[in-house]
Amino acid sequence: MSPLDRFIVAHGPEQIQDITVHEDGVIESVTTKPVRVYERQADGSLTELHGKDKDNALTAFWASVDIFNQQQEQDS
């Protein structure tokens, strides 16, 4: 099973990390969208990955996306 079939990569809602109000009244905020990675199990259920497992899954997933995109470009 390829990483594209095995893993689901999703991002959560924006979360505010920092807000700064400048002297000129401009409000600046820093937001993030946390990335969540799930692994499809043999029974069809999903298990959320964390730490090194999450990092390895993301690396494999994005490498597969790159390969898929290259194949699409060659086919067109």
Side-chain angles (χ1 to χ4, degrees), residues 13-68:
E14 280 189 341
Q15 297 176 343
I16 296 175
Q17 295 295 109
D18 187 34
I19 296 177
T20 303
V21 179
H22 298 278
E23 289 180 13
D24 59 1
V26 173
I27 299 172
E28 180 181 7
S29 65
V30 176
T31 60
T32 60
K33 287 188 177 183
V35 174
R36 299 176 79 177
V37 180
Y38 300 89
E39 183 175 17
R40 190 180 315 271
Q41 302 301 306
D43 66 359
S45 64
L46 299 175
T47 300
E48 187 170 4
L49 301 177
H50 302 278
K52 191 71 170 163
D53 291 336
K54 177 181 175 180
D55 294 342
N56 292 339
L58 280 171
T59 299
F61 180 85
W62 290 119
S64 291
V65 168
D66 287 340
I67 291 168
F68 176 83

